[in-house]
Amino acid sequence: MRLLIVEDETRLATALARGLSADGFAVDVAHDGPTGLERARFEAYDAVILDVMLPRLSGYRVVETLRAEKNWVPVLMLSAKDGEYDQADGLDCGADDYLTKPFSYVVLLARLRALLRRRATARPTTLQLGPLALDPASHRLTRDGTEINLTVREFALLEYLLRRPGDVVSKTELLDRVWGADEDTDPNIVEVYIGYLRRKIGRDLLQTVRGAGYRLTAPRPVASDAD
C-alpha cells in the first residue's frame, strides 16, 4: 500500500517514513502544503498522513481542497494543537482522523490501519438531501438556497438524521447520539425538537414512523396533470 506523508519536520518525516517502510508500506514524503496537495491530487495513494502547520499552505487548506475536488483519499491529520476545537476543525474540514503530537508510533499505525480497512468512500463535507444542504464546518443550513437558522441542538439533530437518509431512527438512538447517554434528559425532548425542526425545514421532509421513530426523506415530485 502506498502512503503520502506531508510533514515539514524533517526528522519526524524521516522517522515515520522509515518505520512505515519497515512495516511494508511504500512511502512518499512532501515537506510543504502545495507539494503535498499536488502529489495527493495526481498520484494514487491509499492514505495521507498530513501535518496541520505546513509552510505556504496549511493542512486544513490541503484537505479542504481535496474534498472540494471530490478526492476522498483517507487523511490522518497530525498536529501539536491538542484543543478540542482544533481537533473539531480538522475533522470538520474533511480529515478522517486526528492525532496530536507527541504520539505513539504504535497508535499511529493502528489508526492508519483502521482508515485503510474503511477505505475511501464518498463523504462530502456538505450533507445534501433534496432541497436541504447542511455544512457542519460552517454550521450553515439552506433550503433551496435560502439560509435557515438553527440552534446548536437543532443543528446536531438534523445533522445526525442527514447522515442516515431514508433510515428510521428511533427516539432512543436520537436521545443517545444527540443529547448523550449520560445526560438525565426527558425522552419527550426528542419530540419537542422534531417539532422545532419541522417548523423550520418543512413538514414534507421529516416523517414520523409510528412506534418506530423518525425518517428524513426527500420530498416526492409532484405529478403533473399530464401523468
Side-chain angles (χ1 to χ4, degrees):
M1 290 186 177
R2 192 176 180 204
L3 306 178
L4 173 64
I5 298 172
V6 189
E7 170 60 67
D8 64 327
E9 294 179 37
T10 304
R11 291 178 61 185
L12 176 58
T14 301
L16 283 175
R18 185 181 297 118
L20 291 167
S21 296
D23 280 306
F25 294 97
V27 182
D28 293 331
V29 178
H31 295 292
D32 61 65
T35 303
L37 176 59
E38 199 73 0
R39 300 195 75 164
R41 273 173 164 167
F42 299 112
E43 299 186 45
Y45 291 103
D46 295 290
V48 176
I49 298 173
L50 178 66
D51 188 31
V52 169
M53 303 301 292
L54 292 168
R56 299 167 55 205
L57 189 69
S58 74
Y60 293 143
R61 292 293 303 278
V62 170
V63 73
E64 283 176 344
T65 302
L66 291 174
R67 297 318 188 218
E69 295 172 354
K70 301 192 184 302
N71 183 327
W72 311 113
V73 61
V75 173
L76 173 59
M77 189 164 272
L78 303 179
S79 178
K81 296 182 176 183
D82 60 357
E84 59 184 10
Y85 290 105
D86 297 311
Q87 296 181 48
D89 286 342
L91 296 171
D92 282 342
C93 73
D96 300 272
D97 201 356
Y98 190 106
L99 190 60
T100 57
K101 300 177 181 178
F103 53 82
S104 159
Y105 175 78
V106 173
V107 172
L108 179 140
L109 186 59
R111 291 193 176 191
L112 182 60
R113 285 172 174 158
L115 288 185
L116 292 170
R117 284 196 297 270
R118 294 198 293 269
R119 292 288 180 160
T121 56
R123 290 156 294 171
T125 53
T126 298
L127 303 173
Q128 292 185 304
L129 181 70
L132 292 181
L134 182 145
D135 185 348
S138 64
H139 210 268
R140 185 169 180 262
L141 171 70
T142 60
R143 175 166 181 159
D144 291 323
T146 300
E147 189 157 358
I148 299 171
N149 293 320
L150 299 179
T151 66
V152 172
R153 192 74 74 178
E154 290 166 354
F155 195 93
L157 177 58
L158 182 59
E159 181 180 354
Y160 189 78
L161 290 168
L162 275 169
R163 294 187 185 279
R164 300 276 303 277
D167 291 351
V168 177
V169 184
S170 71
K171 183 189 295 185
T172 301
E173 182 177 347
L174 290 173
L175 198 64
D176 180 37
R177 299 293 183 173
V178 179
W179 276 265
D182 295 332
E183 290 193 21
D184 185 15
T185 306
D186 185 343
N188 291 326
I189 197 67
V190 176
E191 296 176 16
V192 173
Y193 274 83
I194 289 290
Y196 293 160
L197 274 184
R198 283 194 175 120
R199 286 194 287 273
K200 291 186 176 183
I201 70 173
R203 297 180 179 275
D204 56 330
L205 300 176
L206 189 48
Q207 303 173 350
T208 297
V209 180
R210 193 171 298 277
Y214 305 95
R215 176 169 53 207
L216 196 65
T217 60
R220 295 179 181 176
V222 178
S224 66
D225 294 338
D227 292 342

PDB file of all heavy atoms in Angstrom, residues 47-80:
ATOM      1  N   ALA A  47      -3.574   6.324   1.508  1.00  0.00           N
ATOM      2  CA  ALA A  47      -3.860   7.216   2.645  1.00  0.00           C
ATOM      3  C   ALA A  47      -2.813   8.317   2.671  1.00  0.00           C
ATOM      4  O   ALA A  47      -1.722   8.185   2.106  1.00  0.00           O
ATOM      5  CB  ALA A  47      -3.858   6.460   3.968  1.00  0.00           C
ATOM      6  N   VAL A  48      -3.167   9.419   3.342  1.00  0.00           N
ATOM      7  CA  VAL A  48      -2.261  10.555   3.512  1.00  0.00           C
ATOM      8  C   VAL A  48      -2.137  10.868   4.996  1.00  0.00           C
ATOM      9  O   VAL A  48      -3.148  10.951   5.710  1.00  0.00           O
ATOM     10  CB  VAL A  48      -2.784  11.803   2.774  1.00  0.00           C
ATOM     11  CG1 VAL A  48      -1.873  13.009   3.032  1.00  0.00           C
ATOM     12  CG2 VAL A  48      -2.894  11.538   1.272  1.00  0.00           C
ATOM     13  N   ILE A  49      -0.895  11.017   5.478  1.00  0.00           N
ATOM     14  CA  ILE A  49      -0.618  11.495   6.830  1.00  0.00           C
ATOM     15  C   ILE A  49      -0.238  12.958   6.686  1.00  0.00           C
ATOM     16  O   ILE A  49       0.767  13.291   6.041  1.00  0.00           O
ATOM     17  CB  ILE A  49       0.506  10.681   7.489  1.00  0.00           C
ATOM     18  CG1 ILE A  49       0.091   9.212   7.613  1.00  0.00           C
ATOM     19  CG2 ILE A  49       0.852  11.250   8.861  1.00  0.00           C
ATOM     20  CD1 ILE A  49       1.210   8.294   8.096  1.00  0.00           C
ATOM     21  N   LEU A  50      -1.044  13.847   7.262  1.00  0.00           N
ATOM     22  CA  LEU A  50      -0.965  15.276   6.940  1.00  0.00           C
ATOM     23  C   LEU A  50      -0.788  16.129   8.190  1.00  0.00           C
ATOM     24  O   LEU A  50      -1.642  16.120   9.083  1.00  0.00           O
ATOM     25  CB  LEU A  50      -2.250  15.678   6.210  1.00  0.00           C
ATOM     26  CG  LEU A  50      -2.430  17.133   5.805  1.00  0.00           C
ATOM     27  CD1 LEU A  50      -1.410  17.535   4.736  1.00  0.00           C
ATOM     28  CD2 LEU A  50      -3.852  17.355   5.288  1.00  0.00           C
ATOM     29  N   ASP A  51       0.312  16.886   8.250  1.00  0.00           N
ATOM     30  CA  ASP A  51       0.525  17.817   9.347  1.00  0.00           C
ATOM     31  C   ASP A  51      -0.361  19.047   9.146  1.00  0.00           C
ATOM     32  O   ASP A  51      -0.695  19.413   8.021  1.00  0.00           O
ATOM     33  CB  ASP A  51       1.997  18.227   9.390  1.00  0.00           C
ATOM     34  CG  ASP A  51       2.333  19.041  10.631  1.00  0.00           C
ATOM     35  OD1 ASP A  51       1.688  18.819  11.679  1.00  0.00           O
ATOM     36  OD2 ASP A  51       3.232  19.892  10.556  1.00  0.00           O
ATOM     37  N   VAL A  52      -0.748  19.704  10.246  1.00  0.00           N
ATOM     38  CA  VAL A  52      -1.582  20.908  10.152  1.00  0.00           C
ATOM     39  C   VAL A  52      -0.750  22.131   9.796  1.00  0.00           C
ATOM     40  O   VAL A  52      -1.060  22.862   8.853  1.00  0.00           O
ATOM     41  CB  VAL A  52      -2.337  21.142  11.478  1.00  0.00           C
ATOM     42  CG1 VAL A  52      -2.991  22.517  11.482  1.00  0.00           C
ATOM     43  CG2 VAL A  52      -3.386  20.068  11.692  1.00  0.00           C
ATOM     44  N   MET A  53       0.325  22.383  10.541  1.00  0.00           N
ATOM     45  CA  MET A  53       1.133  23.585  10.355  1.00  0.00           C
ATOM     46  C   MET A  53       2.223  23.321   9.324  1.00  0.00           C
ATOM     47  O   MET A  53       3.294  22.806   9.638  1.00  0.00           O
ATOM     48  CB  MET A  53       1.741  24.026  11.688  1.00  0.00           C
ATOM     49  CG  MET A  53       0.706  24.279  12.777  1.00  0.00           C
ATOM     50  SD  MET A  53      -0.490  25.553  12.328  1.00  0.00           S
ATOM     51  CE  MET A  53       0.563  26.990  12.338  1.00  0.00           C
ATOM     52  N   LEU A  54       1.922  23.672   8.073  1.00  0.00           N
ATOM     53  CA  LEU A  54       2.837  23.429   6.965  1.00  0.00           C
ATOM     54  C   LEU A  54       3.231  24.752   6.311  1.00  0.00           C
ATOM     55  O   LEU A  54       2.434  25.700   6.298  1.00  0.00           O
ATOM     56  CB  LEU A  54       2.185  22.537   5.909  1.00  0.00           C
ATOM     57  CG  LEU A  54       1.898  21.094   6.294  1.00  0.00           C
ATOM     58  CD1 LEU A  54       0.985  20.441   5.263  1.00  0.00           C
ATOM     59  CD2 LEU A  54       3.202  20.307   6.428  1.00  0.00           C
ATOM     60  N   PRO A  55       4.434  24.833   5.738  1.00  0.00           N
ATOM     61  CA  PRO A  55       4.813  26.044   5.004  1.00  0.00           C
ATOM     62  C   PRO A  55       3.927  26.261   3.778  1.00  0.00           C
ATOM     63  O   PRO A  55       3.560  25.311   3.090  1.00  0.00           O
ATOM     64  CB  PRO A  55       6.264  25.752   4.582  1.00  0.00           C
ATOM     65  CG  PRO A  55       6.731  24.664   5.493  1.00  0.00           C
ATOM     66  CD  PRO A  55       5.521  23.849   5.801  1.00  0.00           C
ATOM     67  N   ARG A  56       3.553  27.521   3.547  1.00  0.00           N
ATOM     68  CA  ARG A  56       2.897  28.004   2.331  1.00  0.00           C
ATOM     69  C   ARG A  56       1.433  27.606   2.190  1.00  0.00           C
ATOM     70  O   ARG A  56       0.668  28.305   1.544  1.00  0.00           O
ATOM     71  CB  ARG A  56       3.675  27.556   1.081  1.00  0.00           C
ATOM     72  CG  ARG A  56       5.102  28.084   1.032  1.00  0.00           C
ATOM     73  CD  ARG A  56       5.948  27.407  -0.011  1.00  0.00           C
ATOM     74  NE  ARG A  56       5.348  27.488  -1.329  1.00  0.00           N
ATOM     75  CZ  ARG A  56       5.587  26.610  -2.313  1.00  0.00           C
ATOM     76  NH1 ARG A  56       6.395  25.585  -2.082  1.00  0.00           N
ATOM     77  NH2 ARG A  56       5.022  26.773  -3.482  1.00  0.00           N
ATOM     78  N   LEU A  57       1.002  26.503   2.783  1.00  0.00           N
ATOM     79  CA  LEU A  57      -0.408  26.092   2.709  1.00  0.00           C
ATOM     80  C   LEU A  57      -0.674  25.139   3.865  1.00  0.00           C
ATOM     81  O   LEU A  57      -0.017  24.111   3.986  1.00  0.00           O
ATOM     82  CB  LEU A  57      -0.694  25.397   1.371  1.00  0.00           C
ATOM     83  CG  LEU A  57      -2.161  25.107   1.040  1.00  0.00           C
ATOM     84  CD1 LEU A  57      -2.917  26.409   0.780  1.00  0.00           C
ATOM     85  CD2 LEU A  57      -2.265  24.199  -0.177  1.00  0.00           C
ATOM     86  N   SER A  58      -1.634  25.472   4.721  1.00  0.00           N
ATOM     87  CA  SER A  58      -1.871  24.650   5.909  1.00  0.00           C
ATOM     88  C   SER A  58      -2.500  23.308   5.548  1.00  0.00           C
ATOM     89  O   SER A  58      -3.092  23.137   4.472  1.00  0.00           O
ATOM     90  CB  SER A  58      -2.789  25.387   6.886  1.00  0.00           C
ATOM     91  OG  SER A  58      -4.125  25.390   6.398  1.00  0.00           O
ATOM     92  N   GLY A  59      -2.378  22.377   6.485  1.00  0.00           N
ATOM     93  CA  GLY A  59      -3.024  21.081   6.293  1.00  0.00           C
ATOM     94  C   GLY A  59      -4.531  21.198   6.166  1.00  0.00           C
ATOM     95  O   GLY A  59      -5.167  20.441   5.429  1.00  0.00           O
ATOM     96  N   TYR A  60      -5.134  22.159   6.892  1.00  0.00           N
ATOM     97  CA  TYR A  60      -6.565  22.386   6.769  1.00  0.00           C
ATOM     98  C   TYR A  60      -6.941  22.708   5.322  1.00  0.00           C
ATOM     99  O   TYR A  60      -7.898  22.167   4.762  1.00  0.00           O
ATOM    100  CB  TYR A  60      -7.010  23.561   7.654  1.00  0.00           C
ATOM    101  CG  TYR A  60      -6.913  23.330   9.137  1.00  0.00           C
ATOM    102  CD1 TYR A  60      -6.523  24.365   9.981  1.00  0.00           C
ATOM    103  CD2 TYR A  60      -7.208  22.092   9.707  1.00  0.00           C
ATOM    104  CE1 TYR A  60      -6.433  24.180  11.354  1.00  0.00           C
ATOM    105  CE2 TYR A  60      -7.130  21.898  11.078  1.00  0.00           C
ATOM    106  CZ  TYR A  60      -6.735  22.947  11.896  1.00  0.00           C
ATOM    107  OH  TYR A  60      -6.651  22.762  13.252  1.00  0.00           O
ATOM    108  N   ARG A  61      -6.175  23.622   4.703  1.00  0.00           N
ATOM    109  CA  ARG A  61      -6.471  24.023   3.333  1.00  0.00           C
ATOM    110  C   ARG A  61      -6.227  22.880   2.358  1.00  0.00           C
ATOM    111  O   ARG A  61      -6.954  22.733   1.360  1.00  0.00           O
ATOM    112  CB  ARG A  61      -5.611  25.223   2.944  1.00  0.00           C
ATOM    113  CG  ARG A  61      -5.942  26.508   3.687  1.00  0.00           C
ATOM    114  CD  ARG A  61      -7.319  27.025   3.308  1.00  0.00           C
ATOM    115  NE  ARG A  61      -7.448  27.236   1.881  1.00  0.00           N
ATOM    116  CZ  ARG A  61      -7.018  28.322   1.232  1.00  0.00           C
ATOM    117  NH1 ARG A  61      -6.449  29.301   1.911  1.00  0.00           N
ATOM    118  NH2 ARG A  61      -7.168  28.435  -0.066  1.00  0.00           N
ATOM    119  N   VAL A  62      -5.214  22.063   2.640  1.00  0.00           N
ATOM    120  CA  VAL A  62      -4.926  20.924   1.763  1.00  0.00           C
ATOM    121  C   VAL A  62      -6.111  19.967   1.729  1.00  0.00           C
ATOM    122  O   VAL A  62      -6.610  19.585   0.659  1.00  0.00           O
ATOM    123  CB  VAL A  62      -3.643  20.185   2.218  1.00  0.00           C
ATOM    124  CG1 VAL A  62      -3.491  18.862   1.457  1.00  0.00           C
ATOM    125  CG2 VAL A  62      -2.418  21.054   1.979  1.00  0.00           C
ATOM    126  N   VAL A  63      -6.601  19.567   2.908  1.00  0.00           N
ATOM    127  CA  VAL A  63      -7.691  18.584   2.932  1.00  0.00           C
ATOM    128  C   VAL A  63      -8.993  19.208   2.436  1.00  0.00           C
ATOM    129  O   VAL A  63      -9.790  18.544   1.757  1.00  0.00           O
ATOM    130  CB  VAL A  63      -7.838  17.956   4.334  1.00  0.00           C
ATOM    131  CG1 VAL A  63      -8.455  18.924   5.327  1.00  0.00           C
ATOM    132  CG2 VAL A  63      -8.663  16.681   4.268  1.00  0.00           C
ATOM    133  N   GLU A  64      -9.235  20.480   2.727  1.00  0.00           N
ATOM    134  CA  GLU A  64     -10.430  21.147   2.208  1.00  0.00           C
ATOM    135  C   GLU A  64     -10.428  21.150   0.681  1.00  0.00           C
ATOM    136  O   GLU A  64     -11.454  20.911   0.046  1.00  0.00           O
ATOM    137  CB  GLU A  64     -10.510  22.581   2.723  1.00  0.00           C
ATOM    138  CG  GLU A  64     -10.984  22.696   4.159  1.00  0.00           C
ATOM    139  CD  GLU A  64     -10.956  24.122   4.658  1.00  0.00           C
ATOM    140  OE1 GLU A  64     -10.290  24.966   4.017  1.00  0.00           O
ATOM    141  OE2 GLU A  64     -11.591  24.400   5.686  1.00  0.00           O
ATOM    142  N   THR A  65      -9.270  21.410   0.091  1.00  0.00           N
ATOM    143  CA  THR A  65      -9.167  21.443  -1.369  1.00  0.00           C
ATOM    144  C   THR A  65      -9.395  20.063  -1.963  1.00  0.00           C
ATOM    145  O   THR A  65     -10.112  19.916  -2.962  1.00  0.00           O
ATOM    146  CB  THR A  65      -7.790  21.981  -1.788  1.00  0.00           C
ATOM    147  OG1 THR A  65      -7.604  23.286  -1.231  1.00  0.00           O
ATOM    148  CG2 THR A  65      -7.677  22.069  -3.304  1.00  0.00           C
ATOM    149  N   LEU A  66      -8.812  19.050  -1.356  1.00  0.00           N
ATOM    150  CA  LEU A  66      -9.017  17.687  -1.840  1.00  0.00           C
ATOM    151  C   LEU A  66     -10.490  17.304  -1.800  1.00  0.00           C
ATOM    152  O   LEU A  66     -11.028  16.743  -2.771  1.00  0.00           O
ATOM    153  CB  LEU A  66      -8.195  16.703  -1.008  1.00  0.00           C
ATOM    154  CG  LEU A  66      -6.674  16.759  -1.169  1.00  0.00           C
ATOM    155  CD1 LEU A  66      -6.000  15.828  -0.165  1.00  0.00           C
ATOM    156  CD2 LEU A  66      -6.272  16.381  -2.590  1.00  0.00           C
ATOM    157  N   ARG A  67     -11.159  17.594  -0.693  1.00  0.00           N
ATOM    158  CA  ARG A  67     -12.578  17.217  -0.579  1.00  0.00           C
ATOM    159  C   ARG A  67     -13.439  18.020  -1.553  1.00  0.00           C
ATOM    160  O   ARG A  67     -14.395  17.493  -2.120  1.00  0.00           O
ATOM    161  CB  ARG A  67     -13.070  17.431   0.854  1.00  0.00           C
ATOM    162  CG  ARG A  67     -12.370  16.575   1.921  1.00  0.00           C
ATOM    163  CD  ARG A  67     -12.144  15.141   1.500  1.00  0.00           C
ATOM    164  NE  ARG A  67     -11.653  14.326   2.601  1.00  0.00           N
ATOM    165  CZ  ARG A  67     -10.747  13.363   2.470  1.00  0.00           C
ATOM    166  NH1 ARG A  67     -10.221  13.105   1.283  1.00  0.00           N
ATOM    167  NH2 ARG A  67     -10.375  12.632   3.517  1.00  0.00           N
ATOM    168  N   ALA A  68     -13.095  19.299  -1.760  1.00  0.00           N
ATOM    169  CA  ALA A  68     -13.849  20.107  -2.719  1.00  0.00           C
ATOM    170  C   ALA A  68     -13.722  19.544  -4.121  1.00  0.00           C
ATOM    171  O   ALA A  68     -14.639  19.683  -4.942  1.00  0.00           O
ATOM    172  CB  ALA A  68     -13.362  21.553  -2.675  1.00  0.00           C
ATOM    173  N   GLU A  69     -12.602  18.887  -4.395  1.00  0.00           N
ATOM    174  CA  GLU A  69     -12.376  18.270  -5.708  1.00  0.00           C
ATOM    175  C   GLU A  69     -12.846  16.815  -5.752  1.00  0.00           C
ATOM    176  O   GLU A  69     -12.567  16.093  -6.691  1.00  0.00           O
ATOM    177  CB  GLU A  69     -10.886  18.350  -6.052  1.00  0.00           C
ATOM    178  CG  GLU A  69     -10.391  19.774  -6.232  1.00  0.00           C
ATOM    179  CD  GLU A  69      -8.882  19.878  -6.385  1.00  0.00           C
ATOM    180  OE1 GLU A  69      -8.194  18.842  -6.232  1.00  0.00           O
ATOM    181  OE2 GLU A  69      -8.402  20.990  -6.663  1.00  0.00           O
ATOM    182  N   LYS A  70     -13.565  16.412  -4.706  1.00  0.00           N
ATOM    183  CA  LYS A  70     -14.122  15.061  -4.594  1.00  0.00           C
ATOM    184  C   LYS A  70     -13.030  13.983  -4.589  1.00  0.00           C
ATOM    185  O   LYS A  70     -13.188  12.885  -5.122  1.00  0.00           O
ATOM    186  CB  LYS A  70     -15.150  14.792  -5.701  1.00  0.00           C
ATOM    187  CG  LYS A  70     -16.311  15.785  -5.661  1.00  0.00           C
ATOM    188  CD  LYS A  70     -17.453  15.356  -6.560  1.00  0.00           C
ATOM    189  CE  LYS A  70     -18.554  16.410  -6.573  1.00  0.00           C
ATOM    190  NZ  LYS A  70     -19.094  16.707  -5.227  1.00  0.00           N
ATOM    191  N   ASN A  71     -11.938  14.320  -3.950  1.00  0.00           N
ATOM    192  CA  ASN A  71     -10.860  13.357  -3.709  1.00  0.00           C
ATOM    193  C   ASN A  71     -11.042  12.851  -2.282  1.00  0.00           C
ATOM    194  O   ASN A  71     -10.875  13.590  -1.320  1.00  0.00           O
ATOM    195  CB  ASN A  71      -9.498  14.040  -3.874  1.00  0.00           C
ATOM    196  CG  ASN A  71      -8.335  13.080  -3.717  1.00  0.00           C
ATOM    197  OD1 ASN A  71      -8.387  12.124  -2.957  1.00  0.00           O
ATOM    198  ND2 ASN A  71      -7.251  13.352  -4.434  1.00  0.00           N
ATOM    199  N   TRP A  72     -11.396  11.567  -2.137  1.00  0.00           N
ATOM    200  CA  TRP A  72     -11.768  11.025  -0.832  1.00  0.00           C
ATOM    201  C   TRP A  72     -10.685  10.137  -0.218  1.00  0.00           C
ATOM    202  O   TRP A  72     -10.964   9.279   0.609  1.00  0.00           O
ATOM    203  CB  TRP A  72     -13.078  10.240  -0.943  1.00  0.00           C
ATOM    204  CG  TRP A  72     -14.146  10.997  -1.651  1.00  0.00           C
ATOM    205  CD1 TRP A  72     -14.702  10.716  -2.861  1.00  0.00           C
ATOM    206  CD2 TRP A  72     -14.794  12.196  -1.204  1.00  0.00           C
ATOM    207  NE1 TRP A  72     -15.647  11.654  -3.190  1.00  0.00           N
ATOM    208  CE2 TRP A  72     -15.717  12.566  -2.195  1.00  0.00           C
ATOM    209  CE3 TRP A  72     -14.668  12.982  -0.058  1.00  0.00           C
ATOM    210  CZ2 TRP A  72     -16.525  13.703  -2.082  1.00  0.00           C
ATOM    211  CZ3 TRP A  72     -15.469  14.112   0.060  1.00  0.00           C
ATOM    212  CH2 TRP A  72     -16.380  14.462  -0.939  1.00  0.00           C
ATOM    213  N   VAL A  73      -9.418  10.357  -0.610  1.00  0.00           N
ATOM    214  CA  VAL A  73      -8.333   9.590  -0.010  1.00  0.00           C
ATOM    215  C   VAL A  73      -8.378   9.765   1.511  1.00  0.00           C
ATOM    216  O   VAL A  73      -8.566  10.874   2.009  1.00  0.00           O
ATOM    217  CB  VAL A  73      -6.965  10.036  -0.585  1.00  0.00           C
ATOM    218  CG1 VAL A  73      -6.684  11.504  -0.298  1.00  0.00           C
ATOM    219  CG2 VAL A  73      -5.842   9.156  -0.057  1.00  0.00           C
ATOM    220  N   PRO A  74      -8.251   8.683   2.283  1.00  0.00           N
ATOM    221  CA  PRO A  74      -8.259   8.811   3.745  1.00  0.00           C
ATOM    222  C   PRO A  74      -7.115   9.695   4.238  1.00  0.00           C
ATOM    223  O   PRO A  74      -5.976   9.554   3.784  1.00  0.00           O
ATOM    224  CB  PRO A  74      -8.090   7.365   4.229  1.00  0.00           C
ATOM    225  CG  PRO A  74      -8.588   6.526   3.103  1.00  0.00           C
ATOM    226  CD  PRO A  74      -8.217   7.257   1.858  1.00  0.00           C
ATOM    227  N   VAL A  75      -7.434  10.604   5.161  1.00  0.00           N
ATOM    228  CA  VAL A  75      -6.439  11.545   5.684  1.00  0.00           C
ATOM    229  C   VAL A  75      -6.369  11.424   7.205  1.00  0.00           C
ATOM    230  O   VAL A  75      -7.378  11.580   7.896  1.00  0.00           O
ATOM    231  CB  VAL A  75      -6.792  12.994   5.293  1.00  0.00           C
ATOM    232  CG1 VAL A  75      -5.848  13.972   6.000  1.00  0.00           C
ATOM    233  CG2 VAL A  75      -6.717  13.182   3.784  1.00  0.00           C
ATOM    234  N   LEU A  76      -5.174  11.152   7.699  1.00  0.00           N
ATOM    235  CA  LEU A  76      -4.891  11.178   9.135  1.00  0.00           C
ATOM    236  C   LEU A  76      -4.122  12.458   9.411  1.00  0.00           C
ATOM    237  O   LEU A  76      -3.010  12.642   8.920  1.00  0.00           O
ATOM    238  CB  LEU A  76      -4.059   9.956   9.541  1.00  0.00           C
ATOM    239  CG  LEU A  76      -3.538   9.924  10.976  1.00  0.00           C
ATOM    240  CD1 LEU A  76      -4.665   9.987  11.987  1.00  0.00           C
ATOM    241  CD2 LEU A  76      -2.689   8.674  11.212  1.00  0.00           C
ATOM    242  N   MET A  77      -4.715  13.360  10.170  1.00  0.00           N
ATOM    243  CA  MET A  77      -4.120  14.670  10.416  1.00  0.00           C
ATOM    244  C   MET A  77      -3.286  14.648  11.688  1.00  0.00           C
ATOM    245  O   MET A  77      -3.699  14.082  12.701  1.00  0.00           O
ATOM    246  CB  MET A  77      -5.228  15.723  10.507  1.00  0.00           C
ATOM    247  CG  MET A  77      -4.751  17.148  10.537  1.00  0.00           C
ATOM    248  SD  MET A  77      -6.100  18.324  10.187  1.00  0.00           S
ATOM    249  CE  MET A  77      -5.993  18.380   8.396  1.00  0.00           C
ATOM    250  N   LEU A  78      -2.098  15.258  11.628  1.00  0.00           N
ATOM    251  CA  LEU A  78      -1.197  15.358  12.772  1.00  0.00           C
ATOM    252  C   LEU A  78      -1.077  16.814  13.186  1.00  0.00           C
ATOM    253  O   LEU A  78      -1.016  17.701  12.329  1.00  0.00           O
ATOM    254  CB  LEU A  78       0.197  14.847  12.414  1.00  0.00           C
ATOM    255  CG  LEU A  78       0.329  13.419  11.882  1.00  0.00           C
ATOM    256  CD1 LEU A  78       1.798  13.125  11.568  1.00  0.00           C
ATOM    257  CD2 LEU A  78      -0.220  12.415  12.877  1.00  0.00           C
ATOM    258  N   SER A  79      -1.035  17.070  14.489  1.00  0.00           N
ATOM    259  CA  SER A  79      -0.886  18.448  14.945  1.00  0.00           C
ATOM    260  C   SER A  79      -0.419  18.494  16.388  1.00  0.00           C
ATOM    261  O   SER A  79      -0.754  17.630  17.188  1.00  0.00           O
ATOM    262  CB  SER A  79      -2.211  19.203  14.823  1.00  0.00           C
ATOM    263  OG  SER A  79      -2.079  20.526  15.304  1.00  0.00           O
ATOM    264  N   ALA A  80       0.359  19.539  16.702  1.00  0.00           N
ATOM    265  CA  ALA A  80       0.720  19.804  18.089  1.00  0.00           C
ATOM    266  C   ALA A  80      -0.428  20.492  18.818  1.00  0.00           C
ATOM    267  O   ALA A  80      -0.406  20.604  20.048  1.00  0.00           O
ATOM    268  CB  ALA A  80       1.968  20.684  18.136  1.00  0.00           C
TER     269      ALA A  80
END
